[in-house]
Amino acid sequence: MRTKHPFWWLLASGLLLSGLTARAQQPNPPTLRHNVPLDSIRLSDPFILADQRTHTYYMTGTGGLLWQSKDLKSWEGPRQVAQPDPASWMGPNPMIWAAEIHPYKGKYYYFATFTNSALKIEAEKGGTLERRASHVLVSDQPAGPYRPMRDETYLPANKSTLDGSFWVDKDQKPYLLYCHEWVQNQDGTVEKIELKPDLSGTLGTGQVLFRASDSPWSRENPRTGPPRPNKVTDGPWVFRTKTGHLGMLWTSWVYDVYTQGVAYSASGTLAGPWRQEPNPITPPNYGHGMLFRTFEGKQLMVLHSHQDIKGRYHRVPHLFEVDLSGDKLVLGQAYHP
């Protein structure tokens, strides 16, 4: 996600988005590169699928482009893989944020945030926002192309949602996890909604799991008055430890420091209640993490580092070792394949 820092968002969003988003249908495809080290790739919200069928790592994220590797060291890409319907609400040239690829029942599903700047929705305190929503595309192959399914919308058209993720809960039903964006509701949430069995749409209405203000560690400096809870929820990623505890990674800010936290469900299901850990779990200026297992069996977290360079966000994927053997996630040392 990009609209992460509440105080500066209105001032800087145009400048920041220009360096961080890509369009689904570009006039010219990106230049294909070979043998690219991971730390040479600029990418926000990285996601890595370790695909057993092809024995290949596939990495995507904000921008909607795809990289692939056999060893996590050397990467090839980027390639365009998302092909949303230009006649849909997304329009012919949507921005794509925080893409994820999830294998499920023999197919591959592309969970991403799509933004159409030509369409406007209302903010709760007045004004308008670009229409933005989590959506799901499908392919028979991990490298795509990914195309629409039956339902044109997954979430209400008047609701600004982003950073969709996927989880099959203890009830064996599939769910879409997403954030209701703080720029609309002023206190960002993480929510769930049930997906249809073939993931082609949603069922029922969304349910709030927690709010940004529930976090004891996230803080916003309003520049006048005392510090207050941050408004931002970003990048939910659900996992289960070996002892059966259900956790969720998510990201916010501590003043101007991009920060990764974690919460745990007291019930062991998405329904919660979700209890926030008191402290962040990664070094400062890292966030939007997800977990995957290498083909050799090592559990890793991929997330991006965050650096503000003359008003532009510079973000690069990084790997950390992770221990899930106990009741809670323990972050290890940086991993260099």
Side-chain angles (χ1 to χ4, degrees):
M1 184 185 104
R2 284 103 322 265
T3 56
K4 295 180 189 291
H5 201 310
F7 181 78
W8 292 108
W9 179 77
L10 292 176
L11 175 65
S13 60
L15 175 63
L16 298 179
L17 289 175
S18 67
L20 290 174
T21 57
R23 302 287 181 168
Q25 299 177 20
Q26 299 175 351
N28 299 304
T31 300
L32 186 66
R33 299 159 61 194
H34 302 274
N35 301 318
V36 181
L38 184 64
D39 60 7
S40 295
I41 299 173
R42 284 195 61 185
L43 180 66
S44 299
D45 313 329
F47 175 96
I48 294 178
L49 167 67
D51 184 58
Q52 294 291 340
R53 185 192 298 181
T54 59
H55 206 76
T56 300
Y57 299 102
Y58 296 91
M59 181 171 66
T60 186
T62 283
L65 302 176
L66 188 71
W67 295 81
Q68 61 188 67
S69 172
K70 291 293 186 180
D71 57 10
L72 296 176
K73 296 179 184 178
S74 179
W75 293 84
E76 178 184 287
R79 292 181 171 88
Q80 294 177 356
V81 295
Q83 296 183 3
D85 181 4
S88 73
W89 68 266
M90 298 179 194
N93 202 23
M95 291 179 283
I96 301 176
W97 293 351
E100 300 184 359
I101 297 172
H102 293 271
Y104 185 66
K105 295 185 176 180
K107 293 183 179 293
Y108 295 85
Y109 294 88
Y110 187 89
F111 287 67
T113 303
F114 297 88
T115 302
N116 184 347
S117 59
L119 297 181
K120 305 299 179 183
I121 61 174
E122 293 184 0
E124 290 184 4
K125 290 194 174 182
T128 60
L129 303 167
E130 297 174 337
R131 184 170 174 184
R132 174 161 43 250
S134 298
H135 199 82
V136 185
L137 308 179
V138 67
S139 177
D140 292 326
Q141 304 296 330
Y146 289 89
R147 299 188 174 98
M149 289 181 279
R150 183 170 60 250
D151 288 13
E152 186 174 296
T153 60
Y154 280 68
L155 296 164
N158 62 351
K159 190 172 183 177
S160 184
T161 58
L162 72 170
D163 291 359
S165 192
F166 179 61
W167 184 254
V168 178
D169 212 1
K170 282 187 174 181
D171 58 8
Q172 299 305 307
K173 294 178 180 179
Y175 289 88
L176 170 65
L177 280 295
Y178 61 92
C179 298
H180 185 190
E181 196 175 13
W182 72 270
V183 296
Q184 185 176 50
N185 64 13
Q186 299 303 305
D187 189 2
T189 62
V190 173
E191 304 184 9
K192 70 166 185 173
I193 191 169
E194 185 180 345
L195 287 160
K196 294 179 178 179
D198 64 356
L199 312 192
S200 65
T202 55
L203 300 168
T205 58
Q207 299 176 353
V208 174
L209 304 183
F210 60 84
R211 302 178 185 277
S213 58
D214 294 338
S215 166
W217 53 263
S218 67
R219 290 289 180 270
E220 176 185 339
N221 188 343
R223 272 50 179 185
T224 59
R228 60 193 180 200
N230 204 282
K231 302 180 179 74
V232 175
T233 49
D234 174 61
W237 175 264
V238 180
F239 64 92
R240 197 174 294 280
T241 70
K242 289 184 178 179
T243 58
H245 287 227
L246 190 69
M248 185 190 303
L249 300 172
W250 69 286
T251 301
S252 190
W253 293 80
V254 178
Y255 304 131
D256 59 349
V257 178
Y258 190 53
T259 303
Q260 176 81 71
V262 65
Y264 292 93
S265 169
S267 67
T269 71
L270 289 180
W274 288 88
R275 296 172 177 167
Q276 303 293 331
E277 289 292 281
N279 299 305
I281 61 167
T282 58
N285 284 315
Y286 285 83
H288 204 111
M290 60 83 60
L291 307 177
F292 71 99
R293 187 178 296 278
T294 70
F295 298 126
E296 294 74 35
K298 183 177 290 292
Q299 188 75 54
L300 298 179
M301 178 189 293
V302 62
L303 72 174
H304 69 248
S305 58
H306 171 88
Q307 187 178 9
D308 189 335
I309 302 177
K310 296 182 178 179
R312 289 184 179 272
Y313 286 170
H314 180 82
R315 292 172 169 174
V316 177
H318 294 265
L319 298 171
F320 282 86
E321 296 182 5
V322 171
D323 182 0
L324 293 176
S325 61
D327 292 341
K328 295 183 178 181
L329 180 154
V330 177
L331 190 73
Q333 62 186 358
Y335 178 75
H336 303 285

